[in-house]
């Protein structure tokens, strides 16, 4: 898995870069790509990058879809989970 993840991250980033060039920032595909990057960074263990990309997905999703759209709600759930995991890591570090 660790060997596949860097390649996967590069491909998602490349896909995002192409779509940003073609569609601009406020497009549903951009929401999906930022979400995918956030989840991939989460899987790699980098909560800060995961949160950054998930927040971008939400902000654009709110513009593109609105507050009640299932995609926005799903990304918000991912973001809440990531923030919770990040807090748990901080608590565990402080305990040691």
């Amino acid at each position: 898995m660790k060997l596949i993840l860097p390649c996967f991250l590069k491909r998602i980033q490349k896909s995002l870069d192409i779509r940003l060039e073609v569609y601009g920032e406020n497009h549903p595909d951009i929401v999906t790509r930022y979400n995918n990057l956030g989840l991939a960074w989460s899987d790699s263990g980098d909560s800060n990058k995961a949160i950054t990309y998930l927040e971008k997905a939400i902000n654009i999703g709110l513009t593109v879809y609105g507050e009640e759209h299932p995609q926005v709600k799903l990304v918000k759930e991912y973001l809440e989970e990531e923030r919770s995991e990040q807090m748990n890591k901080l608590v565990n570090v402080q305990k040691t």
Side-chain angles (χ1 to χ4, degrees), residues 58 67 76:
I58 289 170
E67 182 81 28
K76 283 184 176 183

Side-chain angles (χ1 to χ4, degrees), residues 51-69:
I51 288 169
T52 297
Y53 284 110
L54 292 171
E55 286 174 341
K56 287 181 180 187
I58 289 170
N59 290 333
I60 297 167
L62 289 170
T63 301
V64 172
Y65 296 122
E67 182 81 28
E68 296 301 314
H69 193 276

Side-chain angles (χ1 to χ4, degrees), residues 66-84:
E67 182 81 28
E68 296 301 314
H69 193 276
Q71 179 74 16
V72 173
K73 290 181 178 182
L74 183 62
V75 178
K76 283 184 176 183
E77 287 178 26
Y78 293 149
L79 180 59
E80 288 174 18
E81 288 174 18
E82 192 62 37
R83 286 183 174 154
S84 177

